[in-house]
């Protein structure tokens, strides 16, 4: 069996590598960077339209930029970064040479010290704040690298942006043997039937949309009544989001129509590969582990835990917050008992009480007469 470069390294070699990585802490990651564009109204408008943010502070003669755009003004675009330091390139090259060739962004933290206004010219510097010891994650084994960027306008500190990536060697994905795949054609037949049902649902979608347009006035009246009474709760103890406005509708297509049909029936369906039997989510036309295009579905038990989460403070979005005023509200990555993960709202616990590892239970929330969504109820105990 072939061993990876990391498996071949002994403790002494790994310690030596880590010592070299630590030498880069405190060294510059970017120097004398200049934003490719000044803060400008078109980018602010596009951002607000994409985020659905109608805050009047971002329009008019006294407009400011949304604070969360801080990183946008420093990004290099398709042509890449020209201010990245030699030290940072050396650090990444050292990790690549050790076999940690993959990269994923894990999280960021921002601090806002003054508002940015159209016309402001951004300058920035960044340093390598820390390099972690070797860590093993579900993705693979590697090192977390954290950089901190200071963003300035005319020399005045406007904000800081702390950004963390994981440089890692991907975990080996086992492929099924021919013996393991023997007799697995039946799930493939079920997968074809699932796809046929999904295609049928897609064909029926235009007619459903037409019916929705014809009934728009009636639905609006029903929504007005729902705003006064709160959302209908279905499944389990119910999901109390207290929303007062309609939520964005999911995009239904050939690949995921079967999933949303299941949700409408209060079932959370997970795809399962007919070749390697690996469950997957979100729905895909083929297996990303073995490439097999045959699949069937299993119904999730509804049990899960919070794998990771964020608290959304801005922009305000009343449809998702418990208060109906726009925030803050929690969005979590839920690890289901079946081994897959999905993003969803966690209800039943205050946003600041949500914790990684907290057990949750699937529920279904009817936000409009025709729209049911899966949510998760947290358990503080």
């Amino acid at each position: 069996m072939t061993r990876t470069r990391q498996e071949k390294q002994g403790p002494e070699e790994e310690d030596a590598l880590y010592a070299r990585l630590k030498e880069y802490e405190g060294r510059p990651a970017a120097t004398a960077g200049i934003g490719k564009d000044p803060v400008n109204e078109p980018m602010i408008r596009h951002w607000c339209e994409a985020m659905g943010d109608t805050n009047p502070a971002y329009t008019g003669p006294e407009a400011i930029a949304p604070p969360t755009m801080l990183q946008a003004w420093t990004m290099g675009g398709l042509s890449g970064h020209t201010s990245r330091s030699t030290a940072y390139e050396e650090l990444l090259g050292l990790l690549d040479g050790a076999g940690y060739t993959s990269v994923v962004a894990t999280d960021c933290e921002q601090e806002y010290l003054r508002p940015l206004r159209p016309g402001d010219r951004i300058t920035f510097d960044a340093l390598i704040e820390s390099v972690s010891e070797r860590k093993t994650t579900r993705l693979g084994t590697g090192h977390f690298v954290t950089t901190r960027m200071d963003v300035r306008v005319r020399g005045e500190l406007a904000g800081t942006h702390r950004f963390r990536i994981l440089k890692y060697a991907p975990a080996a994905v086992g492929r099924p043997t021919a013996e393991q795949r023997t007799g697995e054609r039946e799930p493939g037949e079920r997968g074809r039937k699932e796809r046929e049902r999904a295609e049928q649902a897609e064909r029926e979608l235009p007619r459903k949309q037409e019916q929705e347009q014809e009934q728009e006035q009636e639905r609006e009246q029903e929504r007005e009544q729902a705003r006064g009474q709160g959302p209908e709760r279905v499944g389990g103890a119910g999901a109390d989001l207290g929303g007062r406005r309609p939520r964005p509708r999911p995009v239904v297509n050939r690949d995921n129509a079967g999933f949303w049909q299941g949700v409408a029936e209060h079932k959370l369906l997970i795809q399962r590969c007919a070749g390697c039997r690996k469950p997957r989510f979100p729905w895909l036309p083929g297996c990303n582990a073995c490439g097999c295009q045959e699949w069937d579905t299993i119904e999730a038990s509804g049990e899960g835990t919070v794998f990771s989460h964020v608290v959304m403070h801005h922009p305000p979005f009343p449809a998702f917050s418990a208060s109906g005023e726009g925030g803050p509200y929690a969005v979590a990555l839920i690890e289901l008992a079946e081994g897959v993960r999905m993003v969803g709202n966690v209800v039943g616990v205050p946003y600041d009480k949500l914790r990684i590892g907290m057990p949750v239970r699937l529920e279904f929330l009817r936000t409009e007469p025709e729209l049911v969504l899966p949510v998760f109820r947290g358990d503080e105990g």
Side-chain angles (χ1 to χ4, degrees), residues 176-372:
T177 64
E179 183 177 343
Q180 290 172 323
R181 291 195 297 266
T182 301
E184 295 296 334
R185 297 306 300 169
E186 184 181 352
E189 295 295 333
R190 291 198 296 270
R192 280 191 288 274
K193 291 180 180 179
E194 293 282 356
R195 282 198 298 276
E196 289 174 1
R197 285 196 290 269
E199 291 171 358
Q200 177 66 25
E202 185 183 25
R203 286 193 294 270
E204 295 175 354
L205 188 59
R207 176 54 185 162
K208 290 182 179 179
Q209 292 174 336
E210 182 180 344
Q211 291 174 343
E212 288 176 1
Q213 292 175 355
E214 294 172 353
Q215 299 169 1
E216 180 61 33
Q217 185 175 3
E218 179 181 349
R219 296 209 320 272
E220 181 60 31
Q221 293 174 350
E222 293 173 341
R223 284 197 294 266
E224 288 294 336
Q225 295 175 356
R227 290 175 190 138
Q229 300 173 358
E232 176 187 343
R233 293 170 288 177
V234 294
D240 186 6
L241 285 181
R244 295 295 183 270
R245 298 184 185 180
R247 292 196 177 197
R249 288 180 169 268
V251 176
V252 180
N253 55 39
R254 179 178 300 178
D255 291 332
N256 66 14
F259 170 78
W260 289 109
Q261 181 179 349
V263 169
E265 299 171 359
H266 304 165
K267 299 177 182 179
L268 187 65
L269 299 180
I270 300 169
Q271 281 182 312
R272 181 175 57 186
C273 177
C276 64
R277 310 299 286 151
K278 181 179 180 179
R280 65 176 182 262
F281 191 89
W283 280 36
L284 297 169
C287 180
N288 55 8
C290 71
C292 179
Q293 295 186 353
E294 306 298 335
W295 50 270
D296 65 348
T297 60
I298 54 176
E299 182 177 353
S301 66
E303 302 292 340
T305 57
V306 175
F307 182 83
S308 182
H309 68 92
V310 296
V311 175
M312 301 297 296
H313 293 269
H314 191 83
F317 208 131
F320 287 101
S321 67
S323 65
E325 298 177 355
Y329 59 93
V331 179
L333 181 62
I334 305 300
E335 185 162 60
L336 298 176
E338 290 73 20
V340 299
R341 299 172 188 158
M342 66 177 293
V343 174
N345 278 126
V346 177
V347 301
V349 294
Y351 70 89
D352 56 349
K353 300 298 183 183
L354 191 62
R355 295 291 182 268
I356 291 175
M358 176 181 289
V360 294
R361 176 72 186 176
L362 173 69
E363 294 182 354
F364 293 93
L365 172 70
R366 186 180 298 279
T367 60
E368 298 182 50
E370 305 86 8
L371 182 60
V372 177

Side-chain angles (χ1 to χ4, degrees), residues 19-54:
R20 293 182 63 190
L21 297 175
K22 295 290 284 184
E23 292 175 358
Y24 287 88
E25 292 185 349
R27 298 178 65 179
T31 55
I34 300 176
K36 290 195 170 182
D37 297 286
V39 177
N40 63 85
E41 293 180 358
M43 286 179 65
I44 293 173
R45 185 179 69 253
H46 295 163
W47 177 283
C48 291
E49 289 177 355
M51 301 300 290
D53 192 343
T54 58

Side-chain angles (χ1 to χ4, degrees), residues 24 26-31 81 83-89 91 124-129 145-149:
Y24 287 88
R27 298 178 65 179
T31 55
H81 294 276
S83 57
R84 182 176 286 176
S85 72
T86 302
Y88 192 63
E89 296 287 1
L91 173 61
F124 58 91
D125 297 279
L127 61 81
I128 303 167
E129 192 169 67
V145 178
T146 304
T147 56
R148 192 194 75 233
M149 178 181 291

Side-chain angles (χ1 to χ4, degrees), residues 76-151:
L78 295 178
S79 58
H81 294 276
T82 58
S83 57
R84 182 176 286 176
S85 72
T86 302
Y88 192 63
E89 296 287 1
E90 289 176 355
L91 173 61
L92 298 183
L94 188 59
L95 289 164
D96 286 340
Y100 304 114
T101 55
S102 295
V103 63
V104 63
T106 60
D107 63 288
C108 73
E109 302 171 19
Q110 294 184 338
E111 181 179 5
Y112 314 117
L113 302 178
R114 57 147 285 183
L116 299 178
R117 302 180 183 279
D120 284 343
R121 173 66 70 175
I122 296 300
T123 60
F124 58 91
D125 297 279
L127 61 81
I128 303 167
E129 192 169 67
S130 66
V131 182
S132 76
E133 297 179 346
R134 188 171 66 169
K135 303 287 186 179
T136 299
T137 71
R138 183 71 65 89
L139 290 175
T141 299
H143 294 266
F144 289 93
V145 178
T146 304
T147 56
R148 192 194 75 233
M149 178 181 291
D150 293 331
V151 180

